[in-house]
Amino acid sequence: MAMRAAARQAILSPPLGPRSPRPFLCGCSLSIAPRLEPCRAASSTTAPAAGKHLPPLFSVAPMMDWTDNHYRTLARLISRHAWLYTEMVVAETIVHQKDNLDRFLAFPEEQHPIVLQIGGSNLENLAKATELANDYSYDEINLNCGCPSGKVAGHGCFGARLMFDPEFVGDAMSTIAANCDVPVSVKCRIGVDDRDSYEELCEFVDKVISKSPTRHFIIHARKALLSGLSPAENRKIPPLKYEYYFALLRDFPEIKFTLNGGITNVSQVSASMRQGAHGVMVGRAAYNKYVLFFFF
């Protein structure tokens, strides 16, 4: 707690189910694939109640070089209720910088509710990093399973690449949960490369919830392509498949899902909520269009 107090001196502080298989965004009917059949894997696990923790109705996506302390301070001045995510912090960075943690983990008290996003693929380092981060009293710990960057999913062997190994992600989430006092969540894509069927997405979710207490997923409704596209292109070129998200609401009624991807204005946020979305996460639009915050 002393670390956080010192950091504050250095920083200027200041469940609805889907109503229809056809979501409406931008005020018009979205052209989607035929209604997806229920996933058999979804019935294999009965999850315990999520308790008092509920995911946010509106949150700002973790973005490298964007959602730093300065941006989050401004965002919190505008909105009291939006959930804010840190930039992704690699587990090895936390472990190796344990004598300089305020630089990477400290934040003003006023930034609550705030989620720490961790990246990594080594269980021992994820455990140590989570234990160290737990002293900073974040409201949730999130594992990055969606970043397609070559430095992350390529050389780093984590981010979106983790979706190839749901067994490991389940173990990772169990490890993270065992070393912190707050709920845990996963941010992922709907698939990676040619592993992009709805059934494979169900298998990923089912394995994670069967091996860990994870009960909140943030679903970026595009798949990731690990070669041939830049991170920016991966946010635009793979087609959005919102039908995957709404099918998850149907097939995993005990799990909370936040929708991410392609949502850039308040009318789209409201429309997705009307269709039953548990929550909506906005990325760069929340950075470039501060007016979004005045509604949350």
Side-chain angles (χ1 to χ4, degrees):
M1 299 307 292
M3 289 187 293
R4 291 183 61 193
R8 284 197 294 273
Q9 297 299 319
I11 302 171
L12 290 177
S13 60
L16 295 176
R19 298 190 182 105
S20 164
R22 183 178 297 276
F24 289 76
L25 296 177
C26 303
C28 60
S29 177
L30 204 66
S31 177
I32 61 176
R35 179 176 171 83
L36 294 166
E37 291 302 315
C39 177
R40 290 187 297 274
S43 62
S44 65
T45 301
T46 301
K52 295 182 179 180
H53 176 73
L54 293 174
L57 291 177
F58 180 81
S59 55
V60 180
M63 295 177 284
M64 293 300 296
D65 299 323
W66 291 49
T67 51
D68 58 15
N69 249 321
H70 304 291
Y71 168 77
R72 296 194 309 265
T73 295
L74 175 60
R76 182 56 72 225
L77 288 172
I78 300 172
S79 170
R80 293 176 55 193
H81 304 293
W83 279 53
L84 306 177
Y85 280 63
T86 68
E87 304 170 89
M88 180 187 68
V89 184
V90 179
E92 283 71 18
T93 298
I94 297 174
V95 172
H96 297 150
Q97 295 286 334
K98 61 182 180 181
D99 295 325
N100 190 29
L101 285 181
D102 280 1
R103 175 184 173 188
F104 301 96
L105 298 178
F107 62 92
E109 185 74 22
E110 292 79 10
Q111 285 185 14
H112 286 291
I114 181 173
V115 180
L116 170 66
Q117 186 182 72
I118 289 181
S121 58
N122 179 287
L123 290 180
E124 183 178 355
N125 285 335
L126 285 170
K128 291 178 180 177
T130 305
E131 184 178 12
L132 290 167
N134 191 54
D135 290 339
Y136 286 82
S137 300
Y138 284 90
D139 295 285
E140 184 175 278
I141 306 293
N142 177 266
L143 180 65
N144 184 325
C145 294
C147 179
S149 163
K151 293 181 180 179
V152 173
H155 175 73
C157 293
F158 58 100
R161 187 171 293 277
L162 294 181
M163 292 195 72
F164 287 139
D165 192 354
E167 187 92 20
F168 172 82
V169 176
D171 290 337
M173 296 310 298
S174 179
T175 296
I176 291 170
N179 286 278
C180 69
D181 301 322
V182 295
V184 295
S185 63
V186 169
K187 187 175 188 296
C188 63
R189 297 287 185 125
I190 59 172
V192 179
D193 292 342
D194 59 351
R195 303 265 297 271
D196 62 350
S197 71
Y198 177 67
E199 185 174 44
E200 287 169 309
L201 178 59
C202 283
E203 290 171 358
F204 175 82
V205 172
D206 193 61
K207 180 59 68 175
V208 174
I209 65 175
S210 70
K211 300 195 72 175
S212 76
T214 306
R215 296 298 176 262
H216 180 202
F217 290 78
I218 298 95
I219 305 294
H220 187 153
R222 288 185 176 92
K223 74 174 183 178
L225 294 172
L226 299 186
S227 61
L229 294 182
S230 69
E233 290 170 330
N234 259 297
R235 294 192 297 268
K236 299 175 182 178
I237 293 177
L240 287 160
K241 294 186 177 181
Y242 292 115
E243 66 269 22
Y244 277 34
Y245 171 82
F246 286 96
L248 287 173
L249 303 189
R250 175 197 66 203
D251 289 344
F252 295 88
E254 74 279 17
I255 305 301
K256 302 301 179 183
F257 294 98
T258 294
L259 177 62
N260 175 229
I263 299 175
T264 61
N265 58 57
V266 174
S267 64
Q268 290 175 321
V269 174
S270 299
S272 61
M273 296 288 193
R274 288 196 299 270
Q275 290 301 308
H278 296 151
V280 173
M281 173 178 280
V282 176
R284 281 155 178 76
Y287 191 99
N288 295 319
K289 303 176 183 178
Y290 288 109
V291 68
L292 272 171
F293 281 108
F294 287 100
F295 294 87
F296 304 99

